[in-house]
Amino acid sequence: MRVLITGANRGIGQGLAQSYAARGETVVGTSRDGTTGTQLDVTRPEDHATLASALNEVPIDLLVCNAGVYVDKGQDLATGYPAQMWADSFAANVTGVFLTVQALLPNLRLSESAKIAIISSQMASHTRAPGGSYIYRASKAAVLNLGRNLATDLAAENIAVGIYHPGWVQTDMGGTSADITLDQCIQGLVARFDALSMQTTGCFETWDGRQHAY
């Protein structure tokens, strides 16, 4: 199996890349600075074009759209959340996912059982609205919607799409007080991706296999 993971230089992306490599899969991990060996800034269309050209006629069995940012922690409602922060966040967390899928769709079509896994968050759900983090919440809700619609459009091509809440994970983004370890997250997500099929396409699931409310 050939797996491509965006944002594979740290945190969840790096953990997934290491897990699949240890399992003997062929892994292509991307990073904005190229430290993983494959450079991709998901906000730059020209980077997507370069990656697509490099992977011409190479099948991809699993595309994991993991790259993203969370830059509005601690912003004040009255004075914070500047317009550029909204633009930059949506460029990475939403547009970047769409551009990745669009650029690599020819590669997914070469696989006999292609899957797309999109990392969203429970913060995307309308059932969780404790306030704050408006930009991150909105962007993750948008990418959840994107994933659901991709699942509809790609069903005729037998490309399954799943959207996942990875848990509150002890990473640089999640912090040391987070609920679960990185190893727990990775084991759970790999199991979820393995289980993804055309019967479950469009799912929004937690790392440990629970259906999440939209």
Side-chain angles (χ1 to χ4, degrees):
M1 182 171 73
R2 181 173 278 102
V3 184
L4 191 145
I5 303 166
T6 64
N9 56 310
R10 63 191 180 104
I12 293 171
Q14 185 179 62
L16 287 169
Q18 291 172 345
S19 178
Y20 280 113
R23 206 167 79 169
E25 314 293 2
T26 300
V27 179
V28 178
T30 77
S31 57
R32 187 165 46 189
D33 59 6
T35 55
T36 58
T38 301
Q39 193 272 332
L40 175 67
D41 181 336
V42 297
T43 69
R44 291 168 54 89
E46 57 269 37
D47 282 12
H48 289 283
T50 299
L51 178 61
S53 178
L55 293 174
N56 185 43
E57 299 298 322
V58 175
I60 293 175
D61 303 299
L62 173 62
L63 170 60
V64 182
C65 296
N66 165 76
V69 297
Y70 183 3
V71 296
D72 60 320
K73 289 181 182 179
Q75 288 286 300
D76 177 69
L77 177 58
T79 60
Y81 303 100
Q84 192 60 52
M85 186 178 287
W86 282 90
D88 292 343
S89 296
F90 270 73
N93 294 353
V94 187
T95 310
V97 172
F98 180 81
L99 292 177
T100 301
V101 173
Q102 187 179 55
L104 298 177
L105 192 53
N107 307 85
L108 292 162
R109 286 171 170 156
L110 292 172
S111 170
E112 295 182 358
S113 57
K115 303 178 185 183
I116 300 170
I118 296 173
I119 303 300
S120 180
S121 169
Q122 66 181 3
M123 293 168 74
S125 175
H126 75 276
T127 63
R128 293 183 60 87
S133 297
Y134 296 105
I135 298 174
Y136 186 75
R137 292 181 192 280
S139 69
K140 288 302 183 180
V143 84
L144 168 58
N145 183 277
L146 171 63
R148 294 274 290 167
N149 282 280
L150 284 170
T152 297
D153 282 340
L154 295 175
E157 300 190 57
N158 291 314
I159 299 175
V161 182
I163 307 99
Y164 301 94
H165 164 57
W168 185 18
V169 190
Q170 295 167 13
T171 61
D172 290 343
M173 181 181 288
T176 57
S177 61
D179 290 337
I180 62 173
T181 66
L182 182 59
D183 284 345
Q184 289 175 301
C185 167
I186 298 307
Q187 290 177 16
L189 288 178
V190 169
R192 301 286 73 73
F193 302 166
D194 284 347
L196 177 61
S197 69
M198 293 309 301
Q199 285 67 50
T200 59
T201 191
C203 64
F204 181 30
E205 295 180 343
T206 64
W207 65 277
D208 53 354
R210 291 173 289 121
Q211 292 293 320
H212 205 300
Y214 297 103

